[in-house]
Short mmCIF file of all heavy atoms in Angstrom, two decimals:
data_model
loop_
_atom_site.label_atom_id
_atom_site.label_comp_id
_atom_site.label_asym_id
_atom_site.label_seq_id
_atom_site.Cartn_x
_atom_site.Cartn_y
_atom_site.Cartn_z
N LEU A 1 20.05 -3.14 15.58
CA LEU A 1 20.65 -4.44 15.22
C LEU A 1 19.73 -5.41 14.38
O LEU A 1 20.03 -5.94 13.37
CB LEU A 1 21.40 -5.15 16.30
CG LEU A 1 22.46 -4.47 16.97
CD1 LEU A 1 23.05 -5.46 18.05
CD2 LEU A 1 23.56 -4.05 16.07
N THR A 2 18.62 -5.57 14.99
CA THR A 2 17.64 -6.57 14.39
C THR A 2 17.05 -6.01 13.02
O THR A 2 16.79 -6.77 12.06
CB THR A 2 16.55 -6.92 15.26
OG1 THR A 2 15.85 -5.82 15.79
CG2 THR A 2 17.07 -7.74 16.55
N THR A 3 16.78 -4.63 13.03
CA THR A 3 16.25 -4.09 11.80
C THR A 3 17.37 -4.07 10.70
O THR A 3 17.11 -4.35 9.53
CB THR A 3 15.86 -2.63 12.03
OG1 THR A 3 14.83 -2.56 13.09
CG2 THR A 3 15.25 -1.96 10.78
N LEU A 4 18.64 -3.87 11.15
CA LEU A 4 19.64 -3.90 10.14
C LEU A 4 19.80 -5.27 9.66
O LEU A 4 20.00 -5.55 8.36
CB LEU A 4 20.98 -3.50 10.82
CG LEU A 4 22.34 -3.52 9.97
CD1 LEU A 4 22.18 -2.60 8.77
CD2 LEU A 4 23.44 -3.06 10.83
N PHE A 5 19.63 -6.28 10.50
CA PHE A 5 19.65 -7.76 10.08
C PHE A 5 18.65 -7.97 9.07
O PHE A 5 18.78 -8.73 7.99
CB PHE A 5 19.51 -8.60 11.23
CG PHE A 5 19.31 -10.01 11.02
CD1 PHE A 5 20.29 -10.90 10.68
CD2 PHE A 5 18.03 -10.56 10.90
CE1 PHE A 5 20.18 -12.30 10.44
CE2 PHE A 5 17.74 -11.92 10.64
CZ PHE A 5 18.83 -12.71 10.36
N SER A 6 17.37 -7.44 9.33
CA SER A 6 16.23 -7.67 8.33
C SER A 6 16.49 -7.06 7.00
O SER A 6 16.28 -7.74 5.92
CB SER A 6 15.01 -7.03 8.93
OG SER A 6 14.60 -7.63 10.14
N PHE A 7 17.16 -5.85 6.99
CA PHE A 7 17.42 -5.20 5.69
C PHE A 7 18.58 -5.99 4.95
O PHE A 7 18.51 -6.19 3.70
CB PHE A 7 17.88 -3.67 5.92
CG PHE A 7 16.82 -2.94 6.26
CD1 PHE A 7 17.02 -1.87 7.19
CD2 PHE A 7 15.50 -2.99 5.87
CE1 PHE A 7 16.00 -0.92 7.58
CE2 PHE A 7 14.50 -2.21 6.17
CZ PHE A 7 14.70 -1.06 7.16
N GLU A 8 19.46 -6.60 5.73
CA GLU A 8 20.53 -7.34 5.18
C GLU A 8 20.01 -8.59 4.56
O GLU A 8 20.40 -9.04 3.42
CB GLU A 8 21.61 -7.67 6.11
CG GLU A 8 22.43 -6.43 6.45
CD GLU A 8 23.44 -6.75 7.72
OE1 GLU A 8 23.08 -7.59 8.42
OE2 GLU A 8 24.45 -5.95 7.84
N ARG A 9 19.01 -9.21 5.36
CA ARG A 9 18.54 -10.50 4.75
C ARG A 9 17.63 -10.38 3.50
O ARG A 9 17.63 -11.38 2.70
CB ARG A 9 17.66 -11.09 5.90
CG ARG A 9 17.22 -12.59 5.60
CD ARG A 9 16.45 -13.20 6.77
NE ARG A 9 15.46 -12.42 7.34
CZ ARG A 9 14.74 -12.81 8.38
NH1 ARG A 9 15.11 -13.96 9.04
NH2 ARG A 9 13.74 -12.01 8.94
N GLU A 10 17.03 -9.20 3.37
CA GLU A 10 16.22 -8.94 2.16
C GLU A 10 17.02 -9.08 0.85
O GLU A 10 16.43 -9.46 -0.15
CB GLU A 10 15.59 -7.44 2.08
CG GLU A 10 14.49 -7.28 3.17
CD GLU A 10 14.03 -5.83 3.04
OE1 GLU A 10 14.66 -4.99 2.37
OE2 GLU A 10 13.13 -5.51 3.86
N GLY A 11 18.25 -8.85 0.91
CA GLY A 11 19.06 -8.90 -0.42
C GLY A 11 19.67 -10.36 -0.63
O GLY A 11 20.36 -10.57 -1.65
N LEU A 12 19.39 -11.30 0.22
CA LEU A 12 19.89 -12.72 0.04
C LEU A 12 19.12 -13.26 -1.08
O LEU A 12 17.95 -13.18 -1.24
CB LEU A 12 19.75 -13.51 1.28
CG LEU A 12 20.56 -13.12 2.44
CD1 LEU A 12 20.37 -14.20 3.67
CD2 LEU A 12 22.05 -12.92 2.19
N ALA A 13 19.92 -13.99 -1.95
CA ALA A 13 19.30 -14.67 -3.12
C ALA A 13 20.29 -15.73 -3.58
O ALA A 13 21.51 -15.51 -3.64
CB ALA A 13 18.99 -13.85 -4.26
N ALA A 14 19.78 -16.94 -3.74
CA ALA A 14 20.64 -18.06 -4.29
C ALA A 14 19.64 -19.23 -4.82
O ALA A 14 18.45 -19.35 -4.33
CB ALA A 14 21.46 -18.72 -3.12
N GLU A 15 20.20 -19.87 -5.80
CA GLU A 15 19.31 -20.96 -6.38
C GLU A 15 19.48 -22.25 -5.60
O GLU A 15 18.54 -23.06 -5.57
CB GLU A 15 19.74 -21.21 -7.87
CG GLU A 15 19.40 -20.03 -8.72
CD GLU A 15 19.76 -20.26 -10.12
OE1 GLU A 15 20.30 -21.38 -10.47
OE2 GLU A 15 19.68 -19.35 -11.04
N ARG A 16 20.44 -22.51 -4.87
CA ARG A 16 20.70 -23.68 -4.21
C ARG A 16 20.47 -23.56 -2.70
O ARG A 16 20.94 -22.54 -2.09
CB ARG A 16 22.11 -24.28 -4.36
CG ARG A 16 22.45 -24.62 -5.84
CD ARG A 16 23.79 -25.11 -6.13
NE ARG A 16 24.07 -26.31 -5.42
CZ ARG A 16 23.73 -27.50 -5.86
NH1 ARG A 16 23.20 -27.62 -7.06
NH2 ARG A 16 24.00 -28.67 -5.12
N VAL A 17 19.81 -24.56 -2.03
CA VAL A 17 19.37 -24.46 -0.69
C VAL A 17 20.60 -24.20 0.22
O VAL A 17 20.69 -23.41 1.12
CB VAL A 17 18.64 -25.61 -0.21
CG1 VAL A 17 18.47 -25.58 1.30
CG2 VAL A 17 17.29 -25.68 -0.95
N GLU A 18 21.72 -25.03 -0.01
CA GLU A 18 22.92 -24.97 0.80
C GLU A 18 23.68 -23.62 0.74
O GLU A 18 24.23 -23.08 1.76
CB GLU A 18 23.95 -26.10 0.48
CG GLU A 18 24.49 -26.13 -0.95
CD GLU A 18 23.56 -26.88 -1.86
OE1 GLU A 18 22.33 -27.10 -1.68
OE2 GLU A 18 24.20 -27.39 -2.87
N VAL A 19 23.51 -23.01 -0.35
CA VAL A 19 24.22 -21.61 -0.56
C VAL A 19 23.37 -20.57 0.32
O VAL A 19 23.94 -19.79 1.08
CB VAL A 19 24.24 -21.28 -2.04
CG1 VAL A 19 24.82 -19.79 -2.21
CG2 VAL A 19 25.16 -22.32 -2.82
N LEU A 20 22.02 -20.62 0.08
CA LEU A 20 21.17 -19.81 0.74
C LEU A 20 21.31 -19.96 2.39
O LEU A 20 21.40 -18.98 3.04
CB LEU A 20 19.77 -19.85 0.32
CG LEU A 20 18.75 -18.93 0.90
CD1 LEU A 20 19.14 -17.46 0.58
CD2 LEU A 20 17.30 -19.29 0.49
N ALA A 21 21.42 -21.07 2.79
CA ALA A 21 21.58 -21.48 4.18
C ALA A 21 22.90 -20.96 4.76
O ALA A 21 23.01 -20.46 5.76
CB ALA A 21 21.46 -23.01 4.44
N GLY A 22 23.93 -21.04 3.85
CA GLY A 22 25.25 -20.60 4.28
C GLY A 22 25.30 -19.04 4.41
O GLY A 22 25.87 -18.53 5.30
N LEU A 23 24.60 -18.44 3.48
CA LEU A 23 24.52 -17.00 3.55
C LEU A 23 23.69 -16.53 4.85
O LEU A 23 24.10 -15.55 5.50
CB LEU A 23 23.83 -16.40 2.34
CG LEU A 23 24.71 -16.54 1.02
CD1 LEU A 23 23.72 -16.13 -0.18
CD2 LEU A 23 25.94 -15.71 1.10
N THR A 24 22.62 -17.22 5.15
CA THR A 24 21.91 -16.93 6.39
C THR A 24 22.65 -17.20 7.58
O THR A 24 22.61 -16.37 8.56
CB THR A 24 20.55 -17.85 6.36
OG1 THR A 24 19.89 -17.67 5.22
CG2 THR A 24 19.71 -17.55 7.47
N ALA A 25 23.44 -18.20 7.59
CA ALA A 25 24.28 -18.52 8.77
C ALA A 25 25.27 -17.26 8.93
O ALA A 25 25.51 -16.93 10.09
CB ALA A 25 25.08 -19.75 8.62
N GLY A 26 25.81 -16.79 7.93
CA GLY A 26 26.75 -15.65 8.00
C GLY A 26 26.10 -14.47 8.53
O GLY A 26 26.71 -13.75 9.36
N LEU A 27 24.81 -14.17 8.20
CA LEU A 27 24.03 -12.98 8.64
C LEU A 27 23.85 -13.19 10.21
O LEU A 27 23.93 -12.24 10.99
CB LEU A 27 22.83 -12.79 7.97
CG LEU A 27 22.86 -12.24 6.55
CD1 LEU A 27 21.45 -11.90 5.99
CD2 LEU A 27 23.81 -10.99 6.45
#
């Protein structure tokens, strides 16, 4: 689970902090 989470987080990208934080919350 934690390794899968790490691989999923590698693909996160956003220009705005609130968008990136929202994606992180979703993960």
Side-chain angles (χ1 to χ4, degrees):
L1 294 186
T2 56
T3 303
L4 181 57
F5 169 83
S6 297
F7 290 145
E8 290 171 336
R9 187 170 56 178
E10 285 180 356
L12 294 186
E15 294 184 0
R16 298 179 64 85
V17 172
E18 60 268 27
V19 175
L20 185 59
L23 294 172
T24 302
L27 289 186

